[in-house]
Amino acid sequence: MYKKLGSYLALVAAYFRLNLRSQLEYRGAFLSQAVAMFLNNIVWIIFWGLFFHRFPVLRGWTMNDFITLWGIVAAGFGLAHMVCGNVLILASLIAKGQLDAWMMYPRALLPHILLGRMSATACGDALFGYLVYLILVKPDVPHFLLFTALTVSVAMAFVGFGVFTGSLSFYLGNAEALSEQWRFAMVTFSTYPATLFEGAVKLLLYTLIPAAFVGYLPVEALRSFSPGDAACAVGGAFAVLAIGVLAFYHGLGRYESGNLMEMRG
Amino acid sequence: MKALNKYLAVASVAARSNLAYFGEAASRLLFLAVILYIFMRLWKVTYTETGAAQLGGFSLEQMLWYLAVTESIMLSAPRVALLVDEDVRTGALTLQLVRPLAYPMYRLWTTMGERVVRFAVNGLAASVVAWVLVGPIPWNPLGLLALLVSLPLAFAIDFLGNFLIGLGAFWLEDTSGLVLIYSRITMILGGMLIPLEFFPDAVRPIMQALPFASMVYGPARAFVRPDLAELTVLVVRQGLAVLAFSVLIGLVYRMALRRVFANGG
């Protein structure tokens, strides 16, 4: 069990190195995309700065809590797509019948597909997330360790959610647009506290758009250093990942090859 | 008159071509609806917690309708700078130069045609969402007139800013970074996310005088809080911005054309 886990971690490290080198071949484009995403996120911090300048507390949340929220969501999202970049195009890979090449390898299919690509903008997200938390929130060591651990849980939830929405292509033919819009809704809702919402929408944030597990609960865990909230965030992330994996392997039975000739370097 | 007819025909073709891709335009509507819903909740909670009927001179209804207009403006922007950049890099610009159309005017009218359709679709959808979420704002014909007068000028300023960035391709390796910085500055300084009334008093007059405010904040505010004197000031500012940008583009375009080398074949 541990040997297998170690072997897969080695695979993750190998793919990460390979993908990073591949990105750095086009250094200018890579840097401009990463910096662009960093700047994009900064705009939101400015927005919240202006907002909290006028209204210092919103449903008990302060500017620091919103910075933490943006930090953890961006770092988790960044981490997820730096390592598992193919999750962003999974719906398209399935719809176009491009899984064949990945089926030839002795590794488990899903992790191997996901590891095959790195998103350049995700690097900007990850950098932004850790930096704003360190520089603006100035956490003590235990808070930073919890933050870092929770970014891994957030990343798991994003990957699981991406796998689930991408796997809809097995059932619907081409779920590219649906997957993208759904992901967009998840990212957008995750950057606001769940306390802003009520009724059915609040329920959605723990089910169909599980944004509470990547934004609200991890921040609550950090705010009060609460093991309960941290456990809920991690538990929710595992559940989302498990549902994504189940949806993928269940849908795989319906997969139709695109009969494409493909070469992978 | 003949020249105007020519460019109106260009705009009409661009508008009809955009209508043919209605599905693509419609796919952005979910984004718009989610954003407006979240902003509605954010401001509703803020108004409730402060117990104020008006914030920054805006009622809750006015705030959401303001955001409906600003989001519609921003989401209707065509990718002018990237198109100009592409024309420069691929050499397609040389083909445009031999046509009986001035290239900047051709791009201006294509953009206008495209943007009118996009804004109409977005504006209609945003109005429905705003109506459902907070109901109507008091009807004032001056508000509609203000929108009709200020929007074309706002679109023209935005076009000129983007066109100028696109021309940067004559000198720069990559203009996509500039495009992103421009759009993010417009989001913040243009008042897309938050009206300029919420900015610190010291910087507000400067921001109101900048062209970014004339593109987004000005038309949206004139629509929800119409005032003839303010509309006049807005239109004068917009006219000056159009004039200043046009002169600048004239100079840069002339310098750029000296760098065009065309080979037959």
Side-chain angles (χ1 to χ4, degrees):
Chain A
M1 165 78 180
Y2 286 113
K3 201 175 163 192
K4 203 167 184 182
L5 184 67
S7 159
Y8 270 93
L9 285 177
L11 182 72
V12 171
Y15 258 110
F16 186 80
R17 270 197 308 273
L18 195 72
N19 288 333
L20 186 63
R21 271 195 219 145
S22 147
Q23 290 283 355
L24 289 176
E25 278 298 307
Y26 303 94
R27 201 171 293 253
F30 172 70
L31 285 177
S32 76
Q33 285 182 65
V35 169
M37 190 45 71
F38 193 94
L39 284 174
N40 176 62
N41 296 342
I42 290 278
V43 165
W44 283 96
I45 295 296
I46 295 173
F47 164 70
W48 286 114
L50 289 166
F51 186 90
F52 281 103
H53 176 71
R54 279 294 287 264
F55 316 108
V57 180
L58 180 73
R59 288 259 161 114
W61 278 43
T62 61
M63 178 69 192
N64 258 12
D65 299 325
F66 268 85
I67 294 173
T68 307
L69 180 68
W70 267 86
I72 204 155
V73 172
F77 185 90
L79 206 57
H81 302 107
M82 271 169 77
V83 179
C84 300
N86 264 342
V87 76
L88 293 169
I89 54 165
L90 186 63
S92 156
L93 289 175
I94 296 168
K96 290 174 184 162
Q98 289 178 323
L99 299 191
D100 302 18
W102 303 95
M103 291 176 167
M104 312 286 282
Y105 294 92
R107 296 284 186 168
L109 180 62
L110 181 61
H112 203 193
I113 295 172
L114 298 181
L115 292 170
R117 188 170 156 264
M118 171 188 278
S119 156
T121 54
C123 300
D125 273 323
L127 189 68
F128 167 88
Y130 292 110
L131 277 184
V132 289
Y133 188 64
L134 275 173
I135 295 171
L136 299 179
V137 179
K138 300 184 182 76
D140 53 21
V141 174
H143 274 89
F144 184 67
L145 290 178
L146 181 59
F147 177 88
T148 308
L150 285 169
T151 56
V152 177
S153 144
V154 171
M156 265 177 17
F158 273 122
V159 170
F161 184 71
V163 170
F164 174 76
T165 56
S167 300
L168 293 176
S169 274
F170 286 128
Y171 304 95
L172 304 175
N174 188 354
E176 223 175 318
L178 178 67
S179 168
E180 196 181 13
Q181 296 282 331
W182 208 340
R183 190 169 55 238
F184 151 74
M186 165 88 159
V187 172
T188 310
F189 274 109
S190 66
T191 50
Y192 294 85
T195 46
L196 273 188
F197 309 104
E198 286 163 357
V201 176
K202 200 163 188 175
L203 185 66
L204 271 184
L205 300 184
Y206 291 89
T207 51
L208 278 178
I209 307 172
F213 300 114
V214 300
Y216 176 69
L217 285 172
V219 176
E220 282 297 325
L222 282 161
R223 263 158 57 94
S224 46
F225 214 68
S226 138
D229 284 322
C232 284
V234 175
F238 267 110
V240 173
L241 186 63
I243 291 169
V245 172
L246 282 176
F248 179 85
Y249 284 108
H250 181 264
L252 194 59
R254 307 165 68 103
Y255 174 67
E256 287 173 23
S257 162
N259 288 322
L260 295 169
M261 291 281 283
E262 231 178 316
M263 285 187 72
R264 299 190 60 236
Chain B
M1 193 61 200
K2 205 174 164 185
L4 183 65
N5 284 340
K6 190 166 62 181
Y7 290 117
L8 283 176
V10 168
S12 156
V13 169
R16 275 183 286 149
S17 150
N18 213 253
L19 274 175
Y21 297 102
F22 188 79
E24 193 262 334
S27 73
R28 287 189 299 268
L29 299 182
L30 181 66
F31 180 90
L32 190 66
V34 169
I35 286 283
L36 284 178
Y37 170 75
I38 289 176
F39 272 124
M40 186 276 290
R41 288 300 312 162
L42 172 67
W43 286 107
K44 201 166 196 171
V45 168
T46 309
Y47 277 81
T48 309
E49 289 202 348
T50 54
Q54 288 202 329
L55 292 172
F58 290 78
S59 65
L60 176 63
E61 292 75 21
Q62 284 173 324
M63 182 64 83
L64 199 71
W65 279 89
Y66 169 89
L67 292 167
V69 177
T70 60
E71 292 287 345
S72 301
I73 291 174
M74 290 297 287
L75 288 176
S76 66
R79 298 148 61 94
V80 182
L82 295 178
L83 289 174
V84 176
D85 181 299
E86 203 174 287
D87 282 347
V88 172
R89 273 178 220 291
T90 59
L93 177 68
T94 52
L95 286 177
Q96 303 281 1
L97 292 177
V98 294
R99 289 181 177 161
L101 295 159
Y103 177 67
M105 294 298 278
Y106 163 74
R107 276 275 164 241
L108 168 68
W109 288 94
T110 309
T111 305
M112 287 302 223
E114 200 176 324
R115 193 152 191 182
V116 164
V117 173
R118 284 178 173 217
F119 181 80
V121 173
N122 289 345
L124 199 66
S127 303
V128 172
V129 174
W131 195 298
V132 170
L133 294 178
V134 291
I137 46 170
W139 164 248
N140 188 333
L142 183 60
L144 197 60
L145 177 75
L147 206 56
L148 289 176
V149 171
S150 61
L151 265 186
L153 286 164
F155 292 165
I157 301 169
D158 193 25
F159 164 80
L160 293 168
N162 273 293
F163 190 81
L164 197 58
I165 292 172
L167 286 181
F170 276 101
W171 294 275
L172 302 170
E173 257 184 48
D174 182 17
T175 57
S176 61
L178 281 181
V179 174
L180 189 101
I181 291 169
Y182 171 84
S183 79
R184 294 309 176 252
I185 289 177
T186 309
M187 274 171 75
I188 278 291
L189 301 188
M192 180 194 110
L193 299 170
I194 191 165
L196 299 192
E197 279 78 0
F198 292 85
F199 281 69
D201 293 342
V203 295
R204 199 184 313 139
I206 304 167
M207 296 182 62
Q208 276 173 335
L210 290 174
F212 303 106
S214 299
M215 286 190 288
V216 188
Y217 165 80
R221 190 184 184 282
F223 176 65
V224 297
R225 291 173 58 189
D227 179 285
L228 195 57
E230 285 180 9
L231 176 63
T232 312
V233 173
L234 171 66
V235 171
V236 170
R237 276 185 180 148
Q238 288 181 318
L240 287 173
V242 168
L243 191 69
F245 268 126
S246 302
V247 171
L248 190 60
I249 283 179
L251 291 172
V252 175
Y253 187 60
R254 203 167 298 169
M255 282 160 59
L257 285 188
R258 283 195 213 118
R259 298 172 70 97
V260 174
F261 295 95
N263 295 304

